[in-house]
Amino acid sequence: MTPLIQISGLTKTLTGQGEPRPILSGVDLTVHSGDSVAILGRSGSGKSTLLSLIGLFDRPDGGQYLLGGKDITRVPERRAARLRSEEFGFVFQRFFLLKHLTAAQNVAMALVNGQGWAARRNRRAKVMAALEQVGIAHLAKQRPPRMSGGEQQRVAIARALVRQPKILLADEPTGALDTETGALVIDVLHSATDRGCGLILVTHDHAHANRMRRVVRLTDGVLRPEPRGVLI
Amino acid sequence: MALSGKLRSAVVIGGQGIRARKLRTFLSMISLFLGVLAVVAVQAGSEIANRALLADIELQQGKDGSVNVSLPQHAKTVEITQEVLRGHPEVVGATGTKATIGEPGVIAINPGPVPFKYADRSQGAYEVVCESNGYCEQRRVENPAPPGQAIELQLVGLTGDIRQFRPFQVRAGQWLDFGGEPSLSPGLVLNKEAATGFAQNRVPAQMRVEGGTADATPRILGVVDDGSSTPTAYVRADELFTWLSPGAATPDPRMGGGASMTLYMWPSSQPVVQTLTARLTGAGADPSQVYSNAVDSRERIGSELDLMRWIFLGMAALVLLIGVAGILNVGLATVGERIEEFALRRAVGTPRLLLAGIVLAETLIIGLLTAAAAIGVGVVGLQLAGKVLGSRTQLLQDVAFPWQAGVAGVAAGLIAGILGGLLPAIRAARIPIATVMRA
Ligand SMILES: Nc1ncnc2c1ncn2[C@@H]1O[C@H](COP(=O)(O)OP(=O)(O)OP(=O)(O)O)[C@@H](O)[C@H]1O
Ligand SMILES: [Mg+2]
């Protein structure tokens, strides 16, 4: 079976104020449908950078990136935008909800993105299904400032799921939540893999990492398998 | 389908943006409002002034594009012209002479005739005396007649309805009726100045025409606005000449006798003039005395008025530019505040061009709303000005809001929207998506 994602020898050098710094120096990663991968790594090791390459926010300097068997290493921005819309769902440490919109409108944002068009009723059904899936359908009309952190993050996850993506990318989604709420959020994310969605989770929390099918660690710009059960 | 999806998304996203920042939208509109209003006002003002000037010239000289032809003064001119024009109502001949209405053998109230506000009999009487060599001079009348109740008028005989060239407005009564047989007592239509004279002075209804042999009893049919300040009366040429021998009018020794005759016509009627000239030449008139003059007032006054308009528009543009700076400032600040929103929207797949378009469209909508407001204020302002000042100034009486001013307002709004929105739009398109991961 063709893997969802097949990355080999991916490199990326970032140029900040100082001299160019190689962040990724040959990352290999394969993710299948229904697979879940946790990425661990020290702060500044390049986890977010790697995720931004996988999610087509940015392009790698070298290596190869196959999505469903198709080479998208140098995909132009227009097509990248379409792929982001159709293939990927994103969850970030900060929830990035628009505070002037309701939960439902925030979720609908992923549908109102200039990539195709769903009629209002159709849109509404999809939004409610996604909110249902993360267990906060009753908050549909609520605005983010009046929701708890965990609720807000679940709205963000509903936004990521509403287009039924093939891959979920989550960058420290529990970083701003307490342990219990964090575990709930991981539950919600994990349940998406039951429907064949691939999940890549960046986290500092070993407990959360251990719930994924595979755990890898980013060190010195490459991914290495993490021995299971090092920490509980 | 793809386009409509983009468009609909843009409408939703743009609408959300505007609704979330109502106060800002409003402030942007205010900063732009004065500039757009200035453009609208200048355009409306110059258009109204232009129309008023043109209307005045039209009244006095004829409509733009028409032709005035003056015929040689000859004993037969009036007779032949009347004959030739009988089958051509589209060419109108006008002949001018002087008439006095009131007591006979007195100096009139307004000798000249001059407008009544300049009427002054204290200086004594003057007359123009011409010698046989053609030299004329103004001389004081040594034993002037006593002042009396009489009014002097310019009397204009018309062969047809001149209003097709000079759109006189009937202020009272009615205009001349050129159908039917001429009446034996001449029917006169006065201009406003003449009407003023008759309203202010009581004069007997007895009319003498220069060169005429018998007095007539005129009937006043109506009053028109002809744009002239000389007291004038209009009469059917055939009525004028049924009891006045045509050759006898204005016996000027230089001209071989005969009244002057001016034709009002469109260029297409040139063949009629040729026929007329041939007949006049046959009767002994000098064909080189036929002068033709095209009315091209729009072009003539256009250039003078245009300069003024550009100067004022330049000033209005400056005010508009200040408004643009305001909208630009607000727009840039807004984009700065929305960096995360835009990065997030791009992360969920919104194309960057669409985002830039939305930012631009938001300011364009602000520009157009402002234009609509400014045009509305212009329309209402003009109506109010017409109500308040209309009785005092002819210029503002029932003027419609010129559509050119509306177009200028919309154009100003659009230009301001583009100028004020382009930079923020480019900024918005350049926001890196990875912003959402580093925040
Ligand atoms: N635009 C940039 N230009 C240059 N250097 C950058 C840029 N963005 C990030 N970096 C650097 O790249 C390195 C990797 O950053 P990245 O955000 O991927 O780390 P991370 O592993 O996600 O860290 P954390 O766990 O703290 O989120 C960091 O040292 C960071 O300073
Ligand atoms: Mg990170």
Side-chain angles (χ1 to χ4, degrees):
Chain A
M1 207 180 86
T2 350
L4 265 180
I5 286 177
Q6 197 168 12
I7 284 171
S8 46
L10 215 61
T11 59
K12 183 70 181 175
T13 298
L14 288 178
T15 316
Q17 286 91 332
E19 67 272 23
R21 258 190 62 202
I23 308 292
L24 305 177
S25 46
V27 170
D28 301 316
L29 179 67
T30 303
V31 181
H32 287 277
S33 179
D35 219 352
S36 57
V37 182
I39 298 177
L40 297 171
R42 276 199 354 262
S43 181
S45 56
K47 305 181 294 295
S48 294
T49 306
L50 174 59
L51 227 49
S52 76
L53 294 181
I54 297 173
L56 296 176
F57 293 1
D58 204 353
R59 306 292 175 277
D61 297 334
Q64 196 184 42
Y65 181 2
L66 302 182
L67 183 70
K70 285 197 192 104
D71 191 343
I72 55 161
T73 318
R74 306 249 168 276
V75 70
E77 174 55 27
R78 268 169 65 108
R79 229 188 112 216
R82 199 162 81 235
L83 289 173
R84 284 198 296 273
S85 166
E86 290 169 358
E87 311 282 329
F88 295 95
F90 303 94
V91 183
F92 311 104
Q93 175 171 2
R94 279 179 50 203
F95 324 124
F96 289 115
L97 301 177
L98 301 184
K99 58 180 182 292
H100 55 274
L101 300 182
T102 64
Q105 285 172 322
N106 267 289
V107 175
M109 193 174 133
L111 296 172
V112 183
N113 62 358
Q115 309 282 2
W117 181 252
R120 180 185 281 263
R121 181 155 6 119
N122 196 338
R123 221 155 63 207
R124 185 162 194 85
K126 286 183 179 175
V127 167
M128 288 318 290
L131 284 173
E132 202 83 59
Q133 199 178 336
V134 298
I136 49 162
H138 59 288
L139 295 177
K141 293 224 157 68
Q142 200 81 269
R143 277 167 220 277
R146 303 182 60 182
M147 290 191 272
S148 75
E151 287 163 350
Q152 290 189 48
Q153 189 60 300
R154 281 188 280 169
V155 174
I157 294 170
R159 182 178 62 200
L161 292 175
V162 72
R163 271 189 183 259
Q164 298 182 312
K166 298 210 178 76
I167 303 119
L168 259 183
L169 302 176
D171 192 359
E172 295 180 50
T174 60
L177 304 173
D178 62 59
T179 325
E180 232 169 294
T181 320
L184 185 74
V185 163
I186 297 299
D187 284 345
V188 172
L189 286 174
H190 202 267
S191 68
T193 62
D194 301 342
R195 306 171 189 207
C197 188
L199 170 63
I200 300 177
L201 171 73
V202 169
T203 183
H204 288 290
D205 189 316
H206 287 77
H208 295 157
N210 278 327
R211 296 196 49 198
M212 302 295 120
R213 211 181 278 180
R214 277 187 294 146
V215 182
V216 291
R217 178 174 289 276
L218 184 60
T219 34
D220 305 324
V222 292
L223 283 180
R224 294 198 178 86
E226 180 82 348
R228 277 277 168 181
V230 176
L231 284 163
I232 341 119
Chain B
M1 185 58 212
L3 181 71
S4 101
K6 278 203 173 64
L7 207 67
R8 288 170 197 227
S9 302
V11 170
V12 172
I13 297 172
Q16 286 174 348
I18 287 181
R19 244 175 296 142
R21 275 162 286 268
K22 287 194 200 87
L23 180 62
R24 256 190 205 187
T25 306
F26 181 66
L27 290 178
S28 298
M29 282 180 66
I30 287 185
S31 84
L32 204 54
F33 179 78
L34 273 184
V36 179
L37 187 65
V39 171
V40 169
V42 169
Q43 191 68 23
S46 67
E47 205 54 50
I48 289 170
N50 201 347
R51 280 187 205 171
L53 261 178
L54 266 180
D56 225 40
I57 293 175
E58 252 181 20
L59 275 182
Q60 297 185 29
Q61 298 180 6
K63 286 193 174 154
D64 226 41
S66 68
V67 180
N68 297 347
V69 178
S70 79
L71 298 176
Q73 271 182 324
H74 182 268
K76 288 279 184 195
T77 299
V78 169
E79 199 184 319
I80 293 174
T81 306
Q82 275 185 289
E83 233 176 87
V84 171
L85 293 190
R86 203 151 288 150
H88 292 283
E90 77 281 7
V91 181
V92 173
T95 170
T97 131
K98 203 160 84 175
T100 307
I101 296 179
E103 295 174 353
V106 296
I107 295 183
I109 293 161
N110 61 330
V114 296
F116 292 96
K117 71 174 156 192
Y118 303 123
D120 180 9
R121 288 185 286 194
S122 65
Q123 301 296 311
Y126 288 85
E127 65 179 354
V128 176
V129 178
C130 297
E131 289 164 15
S132 52
N133 60 5
Y135 175 76
C136 297
E137 70 176 351
Q138 200 178 36
R139 281 196 202 134
R140 195 184 183 105
V141 178
E142 283 312 328
N143 288 312
Q149 286 302 94
I151 285 174
E152 277 189 17
L153 295 173
Q154 169 109 21
L155 187 60
V156 179
L158 299 172
T159 67
D161 193 350
I162 197 170
R163 289 188 305 168
Q164 50 188 312
F165 304 101
R166 296 170 61 184
F168 297 163
Q169 283 176 19
V170 177
R171 294 282 180 228
Q174 61 208 34
W175 176 237
L176 296 172
D177 178 11
F178 290 91
E181 286 299 304
S183 162
L184 277 178
S185 73
L188 302 187
V189 171
L190 305 177
N191 74 348
K192 286 202 309 188
E193 181 65 18
T196 310
F198 284 110
Q200 288 169 349
N201 305 282
R202 290 180 57 83
V203 299
Q206 196 183 0
M207 179 165 84
R208 286 167 304 289
V209 179
E210 206 164 69
T213 44
D215 284 8
T217 309
R219 293 169 298 128
I220 308 286
L221 301 176
V223 178
V224 292
D225 184 1
D226 67 350
S228 164
S229 57
T230 304
T232 307
Y234 296 91
V235 62
R236 276 173 65 160
D238 46 8
E239 283 181 7
L240 182 59
F241 291 110
T242 45
W243 48 273
L244 176 72
S245 87
T250 329
D252 190 329
R254 287 168 300 169
M255 301 300 182
S260 66
M261 178 66 83
T262 304
L263 303 182
Y264 291 85
M265 51 179 247
W266 298 107
S268 55
S269 302
Q270 205 55 45
V272 179
V273 177
Q274 277 158 16
T275 312
L276 194 53
T277 309
R279 292 273 314 265
L280 287 174
T281 311
D286 180 0
S288 71
Q289 298 286 313
V290 177
Y291 298 107
S292 183
N293 174 38
V295 181
D296 58 349
S297 25
R298 197 181 295 271
E299 207 168 294
R300 221 156 29 74
I301 64 167
S303 52
E304 294 165 31
L305 226 57
D306 270 357
L307 183 65
M308 289 297 286
R309 179 190 303 214
W310 286 119
I311 291 172
F312 278 108
L313 270 185
M315 295 197 288
L318 222 60
V319 181
L320 188 65
L321 213 60
I322 296 170
V324 169
I327 209 174
L328 184 64
N329 185 21
V330 172
L332 286 176
T334 306
V335 167
E337 210 172 75
R338 295 170 80 181
I339 284 179
E340 288 182 0
E341 179 193 335
F342 289 143
L344 180 68
R345 287 196 186 276
R346 286 195 60 200
V348 298
T350 315
R352 65 158 105 201
L353 261 178
L354 189 66
L355 280 180
I358 289 165
V359 171
L360 188 58
E362 279 178 18
T363 51
L364 273 182
I365 289 170
I366 290 173
L368 286 178
L369 283 178
T370 310
I375 291 168
V377 166
V379 171
V380 171
L382 193 61
Q383 262 171 5
L384 281 182
K387 276 211 186 89
V388 176
L389 304 170
S391 50
R392 263 185 282 165
T393 349
Q394 180 91 70
L395 191 69
L396 287 174
Q397 234 161 24
D398 47 58
V399 280
F401 185 76
W403 61 267
Q404 290 93 334
V407 171
V410 172
L414 275 178
I415 291 171
I418 290 173
L419 287 181
L422 203 56
L423 209 56
I426 292 171
R427 283 259 174 105
R430 285 199 175 155
I431 295 168
I433 315 175
T435 308
V436 282
M437 296 179 137
R438 318 263 181 230

